[in-house]
Amino acid sequence: MDHIPVLIAGGGPAGAATALSLAARKIPCIIAEASPSPQDKAGETIPANAAPLLRKLGIMGLLEEPAHLPCYGNRFIWGREQPADKLYFFHIHQQGWHLDRRIFEQQLQAKVTATGTRYLNGWRVTHCNPDDGQWTVSLKNDNNDTRMISCDFIADATGKSCRIARMLGSTRHHADKLVGISTCYQLTGVLPQYTFIEAVQHGWWYAALLSGQRLMTTFMTDADLLGPEVRHPQGYLDSLRQTGLIAPLLSNVNVCTESEPSVFTAASGYLSACYGQRWLAVGDAAFSYDPISSYGITSALEGGFYAGHAIADTLAGNRDALPAYDWLITQAFTRYTTMHQHQYQQEQRWPQQPFWQRRHSLIPA
Ligand SMILES: Cc1cc2nc3c(=O)[nH]c(=O)nc-3n(C[C@H](O)[C@H](O)[C@H](O)COP(=O)(O)OP(=O)(O)OC[C@H]3O[C@@H](n4cnc5c(N)ncnc54)[C@H](O)[C@@H]3O)c2cc1C
């Protein structure tokens, strides 16, 4: 059985950043990633203020890839009928990005691999057992082959499934039942490079311009409020056409109603414990953001940076490293909760609608 100091379960932004941070501390690790190859994922916007973190992680250069487009700010209808702009132009970093998510995940993997870290693509962590001060971890691939790895420390970067933390007895609290339903359209004309956001009675829409002349559109609502009609291409399009800000963008797209919209869970949630003896959770596994923040990817990368250092310090015998990491996560979640409440309080046009009522009555976590 192979032995490695650290095994990271999950190779998304959080797992990759944890590996980069560990590599900087010269701690060998392996990433086990369930998908056989980097996948497209929901979520594409990185805000301008992520730039210092990306530099710190040494990955700022990844955004020079032409598949990632600059984003110059948000144009939104929120809290009133008239559109407004919030432009990054006035921000010190001046632009954010709309990522091609599959390419970004590919780039992160290449960056991690260049440090000497192995990615085990197509291997899902299924069990981990404490064994004489170490972990014995079982992995399975799609052919049902199994392999075992022993390690000193395990990082759960498995996203919202928080597979390892749950295996180890931590429970996930869900703050809401938010889901996103998305469809991508092919553009025929030119659009301003903004993120378009629009509040409606039962949730909110966003649209983002992606490379290859694609317009990504997503409707965010609660799972129990997602009507059957919007799950079909024509019903989705009909709802989109009722918006004030996003519908006009459709005059620039080749509207195809063949492919089914995809539904993603986007619930905010957090773990009862995001670390324990020789393990921690990072990224969405530790806590996840409402996409209105556009901060999930950045937060996963930031969490990975600190997680790598916390693991390295723990392996060096520092008993305060994991509680300090936990403190950072709690602080970040508290800041997020305040921001989230402030954002939703600004929309008061539909006080009787369950989607808005639920958010106006949220109690901080
Ligand atoms: C509709 C929607 C819109 C969003 N919009 C934005 C946005 O505009 N901006 C933004 O910043 N964020 C956005 N997000 C959130 C963002 O995508 C996530 O916060 C981010 O991907 C979290 O990264 P992560 O590495 O923690 O988890 P993930 O990216 O989910 O990666 C987890 C990885 O773990 C792997 N895995 C799972 N189980 C196992 C296992 N047992 N063993 C091994 N591997 C496993 C998975 O295959 C996956 O690759 C959005 C999310 C949704 C749903």
Side-chain angles (χ1 to χ4, degrees), residues 8-16 32-35 41-47 101 105 123-126 157-161 163-164 167 179-182 206 218 220 264-266 282-285 288-289 291 293-300:
I8 302 171
E33 164 54 51
S35 302
K41 289 179 178 170
E44 55 291 303
T45 305
I46 292 203
R101 208 46 210 280
E105 302 259 330
W123 288 92
R124 171 180 300 279
V125 173
T126 54
T158 60
K160 289 190 184 75
S161 71
R163 176 70 202 240
I164 312 302
M167 253 181 233
V179 292
I181 180 162
S182 303
Y206 80 83
T218 303
M220 307 296 313
F264 304 92
T265 172
V282 59
D284 274 10
S288 53
Y289 283 83
S293 67
S294 293
Y295 214 69
I297 302 166
T298 310
S299 166

Side-chain angles (χ1 to χ4, degrees), residues 83-140:
D85 286 347
K86 193 169 174 189
L87 301 184
Y88 294 142
F89 182 69
F90 301 107
H91 191 279
I92 183 171
H93 302 292
Q94 299 214 335
Q95 68 165 69
W97 295 267
H98 283 161
L99 300 178
D100 181 312
R101 208 46 210 280
R102 191 181 56 76
I103 290 184
F104 186 62
E105 302 259 330
Q106 230 167 35
Q107 288 178 305
L108 283 176
Q109 177 161 343
K111 193 83 190 171
V112 169
T113 310
T115 66
T117 299
R118 276 167 67 205
Y119 252 84
L120 299 179
N121 280 115
W123 288 92
R124 171 180 300 279
V125 173
T126 54
H127 295 96
C128 45
N129 298 309
D131 188 9
D132 203 16
Q134 296 182 343
W135 293 105
T136 301
V137 180
S138 316
L139 300 106
K140 217 170 225 176

Side-chain angles (χ1 to χ4, degrees), residues 218-301:
T218 303
F219 177 48
M220 307 296 313
T221 188
D222 285 334
D224 59 325
L225 304 177
L226 187 67
E229 56 305 327
V230 86
R231 292 171 185 266
H232 297 291
Q234 189 59 52
Y236 183 93
L237 188 59
D238 292 343
S239 298
L240 191 48
R241 284 204 164 114
Q242 287 166 30
T243 57
L245 181 67
I246 298 179
L249 307 178
L250 296 177
S251 60
N252 282 313
V253 304
N254 236 342
V255 172
C256 155
T257 51
E258 276 155 29
S259 62
E260 294 279 320
S262 313
V263 181
F264 304 92
T265 172
S268 300
Y270 58 96
L271 285 174
S272 56
C274 74
Y275 78 96
Q277 188 107 27
R278 290 175 285 113
W279 71 271
L280 60 70
V282 59
D284 274 10
F287 77 92
S288 53
Y289 283 83
D290 182 321
I292 194 66
S293 67
S294 293
Y295 214 69
I297 302 166
T298 310
S299 166
L301 293 169

